Structures are given as C-alpha cells and as structure tokens.
Amino acid sequence: MSNVLSAESVSHLSKLAYQTMRVKKNTYLFREGQDGDRFFIVLKGKFQVNKLSGDGKQLCLRLCGPNSIMGELMVFSQNGKYLFSGKALEESEVLVIKNEAIEKELLVNPEFAAEFMRVMTDHIRKQHTKFRDLVLYGKKGALYSTLIRMVNSYGKEIDSGILLDVQVTNQDLANFSSTTRESVNRTLNELKGMGILSFEGRKIIIHDLEYLKQEINCENCPASYCNIE
C-alpha cells in the first residue's frame, strides 16, 4: 500500500525510537492542538486519524494499520501543534520517535527521505481531496466520496454490482463524512430508492458507481490515493 512505510524502513527506524507504547482501545494517542514533538509508527492494531469540524463534528481522515505513520506533518515544524487526533480502534502498539531524531535521519539517508516524502505526499493529497469534496459538494458529496473510497478499499465485484466487503455502520459513514448518522440514513435511503445501492445485511452493494462519481466530478485518481486507509 502506498500510505505505509516499507518493512525495511520500519526496522531501521525502530533503532531511533525512544519508546514502544501500548495504546488501549478507544483512547487517544495524541490530540489536535497538543505539542507535536513526537512521531509515531504503528506496529500493530489500528488507529483513526480525525479532525473536528467547525460545528464540532468529527471528520475521519484515514485509518492507520501496521507500518503506517502518524504525526508526520510536524517534522521540521518549530513548536508545531498536532493538526489532527489519533484514536486507537483496537488494542494497539506504536513506536515513538522524537521529531529531531527523524529530522537527522532524513538529512543523511536519501532513500528513506524519498520514501518518507512519498508517504507524506500521499497523505496530503488524500486529505486535500476529502476537504475538497466536503467544501465543494457538502455532506452528501463527502458521503459519496466515502463510498467511492470504500469501493477501492473493500470492493468485491458480484453479479449485481460491487459489494463493500466490510461491515460498516451508519455512524462510521457519518464520521468519514463529517455529518450525522440521521443524515447518512436519509441519503442512503434516497440512493436505495434510486437503485444506486442496496443492502445485504450490514454490507452495502453499489449498483451504479458512475452515478456517485459524476455527482462529485470524480477525477478518477488511482486507488492508491483514493481509498479509506
């Protein structure tokens, strides 16, 4: 996957870590606005990186599994604050590295620097497209964008369309779209009535992916950028 470090880089960076931290489920590793002096690499478990919107709703920007990096935007930032929050979705473990240690490594290790910049660019591009969809097309557009990303991450072609082969709640979709569960309910029912999607238990089947793409003027970015992770 494009949004994680290689196993070789993680092994190399583990030598720079000053701490291995266990994080309990549903607790925050870091919060938006805290001093951003540390950098994290996920060893096991899963995290949700999110940001609070102006109206107090949570916008989930990405999911981070093993070998993913978090807090990377604060590297080379003087007295920077975390722009986002990182919450553990399950029992997890991370490497903790001081920013200054990463900065020194980036200056002397060009291969790692190139990989690090690639991962950062991927994250920034994903965040930009999420904010773009939300600003230009509103909460409904953000939901459509989330469904498209889920197709790229979990989509499985079946006779009637594309099955999102993952159990997801309407609250999960609301968090990814910075809206309410009630709004997601209404929009999904509208799409169901139009024949755009249907439900199979707690899973969603997309019957007309092109409709969702046209509604947000989808740029057909590579799946490595346009995904939920």
Side-chain angles (χ1 to χ4, degrees):
M1 295 175 62
S2 66
N3 61 334
V4 299
L5 294 171
S6 67
E8 292 78 8
S9 287
V10 172
S11 177
H12 179 71
L13 289 176
S14 65
K15 301 173 185 176
L16 303 178
Y18 76 91
Q19 182 182 9
T20 299
M21 180 185 296
R22 292 184 178 179
V23 188
K24 293 182 179 180
K25 181 179 179 180
N26 292 327
T27 61
Y28 281 89
L29 176 61
F30 59 95
R31 287 182 179 271
E32 182 178 345
Q34 290 180 338
D35 290 338
D37 61 343
R38 298 181 296 170
F39 170 91
F40 308 96
I41 300 175
V42 182
L43 295 179
K44 64 180 180 180
K46 182 174 288 187
F47 288 84
Q48 180 186 87
V49 174
N50 57 57
K51 185 173 182 63
L52 289 178
S53 63
D55 56 4
K57 295 186 178 65
Q58 184 183 101
L59 174 61
C60 180
L61 295 170
R62 71 179 196 262
L63 300 178
C64 298
N67 292 5
S68 294
I69 60 178
M70 297 182 294
E72 70 279 1
L73 294 181
M74 294 301 98
V75 174
F76 289 112
S77 177
Q78 296 296 320
N79 301 316
K81 307 288 185 181
Y82 289 122
L83 302 176
F84 313 111
S85 300
K87 180 182 179 181
L89 299 180
E90 56 192 47
E91 297 295 316
S92 302
E93 188 174 303
V94 299
L95 287 175
V96 186
I97 306 174
K98 288 286 188 179
N99 284 356
E100 59 187 25
I102 286 287
E103 292 165 2
K104 290 178 181 178
E105 186 64 20
L106 289 170
L107 293 174
V108 300
N109 188 335
E111 290 185 0
F112 170 67
E115 182 179 6
F116 185 86
M117 289 303 298
R118 173 185 58 77
V119 172
M120 281 190 65
T121 300
D122 286 353
H123 288 173
I124 293 170
R125 182 171 178 178
K126 288 178 184 180
Q127 290 162 12
H128 170 76
T129 56
K130 281 199 171 188
F131 287 131
R132 177 204 64 192
D133 293 342
L134 182 61
V135 170
L136 294 182
Y137 305 109
K139 303 299 177 65
K140 183 177 289 188
L143 176 58
Y144 290 2
S145 174
T146 296
L147 292 172
I148 294 169
R149 293 171 189 276
M150 287 193 164
V151 165
N152 290 333
S153 293
Y154 309 115
K156 178 181 178 182
E157 290 192 16
I158 59 177
D159 291 340
S160 59
I162 303 174
L163 172 69
L164 300 186
D165 197 17
V166 62
Q167 291 191 353
V168 59
T169 67
N170 286 0
Q171 185 60 57
D172 293 331
L173 292 174
N175 290 343
F176 277 109
S177 308
S178 188
T179 187
T180 63
R181 182 170 54 84
E182 292 75 17
S183 177
V184 168
N185 291 344
R186 288 194 299 270
T187 303
L188 290 180
N189 285 329
E190 290 174 4
L191 292 173
K192 179 181 177 182
M194 297 165 60
I196 306 300
L197 57 76
S198 61
F199 302 96
E200 184 177 280
R202 292 181 62 183
K203 296 182 179 180
I204 298 173
I205 300 174
I206 306 294
H207 302 295
D208 191 349
L209 181 61
E210 287 305 311
Y211 173 85
L212 300 177
K213 288 184 174 183
Q214 290 172 6
E215 288 296 296
I216 61 168
N217 293 321
C218 178
E219 298 175 357
N220 290 307
C221 298
S224 59
Y225 289 120
C226 185
N227 58 57
I228 212 70
E229 299 180 339

